[in-house]
Amino acid sequence: MGNAGLDEIAGRLLIQCRPRQALLAAEIARTRDAGLVLTGGGLEATVRTLRESGFTGPLLCDADRYSGSKRVAAARGTHPAWLVRQADLGLLPLTDSGYVALYDIRGLRTILRTAARRRSPVVAVLPLAARWFATTPACEALVREINAHGVPVAIAVEHRDDPFGVQYLIRRFLRLLAAAEVPVLLLRSDIAAIGVLCHGAHAAAAGTISALRHTYPQVRRGGAPRPGVSAFVTPLLAYHRLETLERVFDGTPDLAQLWPCECPVCDTRTPARLGSAGEAARHSVHALLALHADLRRARTRAAMISSWHEHCSHALGVHEQVAEEVRGWRAPSGVRGWVKVIDDPVPVRAGIPVQEPRVTAPARAPSR
């Protein structure tokens, strides 16, 4: 696939899924001009099945050696044969990297050197501790290594919750995008995938399930949180559990016009009426891809950033309205973080999609 593979995914929002979800994800990808990031085991057989089914869109394979209780460290190295097998399938190869702890320069260089030795383009997967972005020196060291090796990178950020709910990470990730001299992809994300695309990421992937929207820290017992069935709600720019959505929608009659969804799964119903985890995942992918398509209509990078800022500001306003009616409600840290960190580069919003104005409840008659 080579450079053509990099060009093919440029600017795209990708769907990150397990092999068992691949055929359903491919159906959505066909309708939305999207690609897939297959994650886990049995990837080669899944690629063949997808191609035999007629799916011709971009495909990437994430071996996922960096997550879970049996994850490996970056210094353990990668397998060159894995790169060859991906290339033989006509794919843009991704390294099967291990986890890169803070200041693990040896492990970081091990991954980058593997990719740099290949004649054709290889994407170096960098599963990073969030603390790489906690200080300027750490982030600058990361950027220096990436630029020195000159290979495309795909970053997945480890965090116990939402890495892009931390303001320092948003701020320094955007600095990395500005300073990197190579294409930068983001893996294993959620709504932040759209945010970084607006700010110049080469491509980004949003997961179909919570375990693929995050890279959780390694734990000895238990494992990643089990959040139940969640769905993405565009006016809130966030995922919430279905039972939470039902409570919010029922408790905010003045915002009722915001909640129906026109995706093929909901068909003008609200996401609270989704009946299964599979329906919630398909709805969420449709909604994210529709939002990204809306943002891509902006003609310039500044206009995309401005539109993203407007979407985040509008969502924060909706959360504040919900909080007036639903006890204990708070806007997600991710929405607050994007509004706090980024500035609108286009004060005059000509030609940029305008959000609906704030809905004001009708005045109540004074009690007697």
Side-chain angles (χ1 to χ4, degrees):
M1 192 178 258
N3 284 320
L6 278 172
D7 293 342
E8 190 180 12
I9 62 173
R12 292 197 193 230
L13 178 63
L14 308 173
I15 306 170
Q16 189 150 8
C17 64
R18 298 292 188 194
R20 64 179 178 272
Q21 301 169 310
L23 288 173
L24 286 175
E27 288 182 11
I28 300 174
R30 284 190 186 99
T31 66
R32 295 286 185 173
D33 191 32
L36 305 182
V37 181
L38 305 175
T39 307
L43 302 185
E44 294 163 85
T46 305
V47 169
R48 294 188 184 95
T49 298
L50 287 170
R51 293 309 191 204
E52 290 168 0
S53 73
F55 180 70
T56 59
L59 280 174
L60 300 176
C61 288
D62 177 11
D64 194 21
R65 295 175 67 219
Y66 54 83
S67 72
S69 60
K70 296 181 180 180
R71 75 179 185 194
V72 301
R76 289 273 299 274
T78 61
H79 298 94
W82 168 239
L83 301 177
V84 173
R85 295 202 301 273
Q86 291 175 83
D88 288 344
L89 288 168
L91 307 181
L92 175 65
L94 273 61
T95 59
D96 56 340
S97 309
Y99 169 70
V100 187
L102 178 62
Y103 283 129
D104 179 11
I105 297 295
R106 178 189 171 195
L108 179 64
R109 288 175 177 167
T110 297
I111 297 169
L112 292 169
R113 285 171 181 164
T114 297
R117 291 190 186 110
R118 306 291 299 184
R119 292 184 178 180
S120 58
V122 167
V123 177
V125 175
L126 301 181
L128 301 171
R131 300 297 293 177
W132 276 100
F133 299 94
T135 66
T136 297
C139 187
E140 289 179 345
L142 176 62
V143 172
R144 281 196 304 272
E145 292 296 329
I146 290 172
N147 287 342
H149 289 83
V151 294
V153 297
I155 295 174
V157 184
E158 178 202 54
H159 195 270
R160 61 184 174 80
D161 192 11
D162 174 11
F164 285 86
V166 182
Q167 291 181 27
Y168 75 72
L169 197 140
I170 298 175
R171 185 175 291 108
R172 292 198 174 90
F173 195 94
L174 297 186
R175 289 179 185 173
L176 180 148
L177 288 179
E181 299 169 359
V182 298
V184 177
L185 291 66
L186 177 65
L187 298 179
R188 228 172 176 121
S189 190
D190 50 21
I191 188 63
I194 297 179
V196 301
L197 282 168
C198 291
H199 284 81
H202 188 77
T208 54
I209 57 175
S210 179
L212 294 178
R213 293 192 287 268
H214 304 277
T215 304
Y216 292 106
Q218 187 177 38
V219 293
R220 293 188 177 183
R221 294 182 181 179
R226 297 183 179 275
V229 179
S230 297
F232 177 70
V233 181
T234 302
L236 297 173
L237 283 189
Y239 288 80
H240 292 286
R241 293 176 61 153
L242 298 186
E243 58 267 31
T244 300
L245 292 179
E246 187 171 10
R247 179 166 61 94
V248 169
F249 298 166
D250 289 345
T252 56
D254 294 330
L255 301 178
Q257 77 278 12
L258 296 180
W259 307 134
C261 173
E262 296 182 358
C263 82
V265 182
C266 293
D267 191 23
T268 72
R269 297 176 302 164
T270 73
R273 302 294 180 244
L274 296 167
S276 66
E279 284 190 353
R282 287 188 287 119
H283 149 80
S284 298
V285 170
H286 274 293
L288 282 169
L289 290 170
L291 174 60
H292 181 237
D294 180 47
L295 286 159
R296 287 188 75 177
R297 283 198 282 268
R299 295 183 179 182
T300 65
R301 174 62 46 74
M304 285 186 70
I305 295 173
S306 184
S307 188
W308 174 243
H309 184 275
E310 175 69 9
H311 276 77
C312 292
S313 299
H314 178 261
L316 185 59
V318 175
H319 280 286
E320 290 170 351
Q321 291 177 268
V322 172
E324 294 173 2
E325 304 295 336
V326 179
R327 184 176 181 180
W329 188 263
R330 291 191 65 201
S333 56
V335 174
R336 293 198 308 270
W338 282 102
V339 173
K340 183 76 173 178
V341 167
I342 65 175
D343 296 318
D344 188 342
V346 186
V348 180
R349 309 190 57 78
I352 299 173
V354 177
Q355 292 292 313
E356 297 177 12
R358 176 183 170 89
V359 178
T360 304
R364 298 175 180 174
S367 57
R368 297 184 180 181

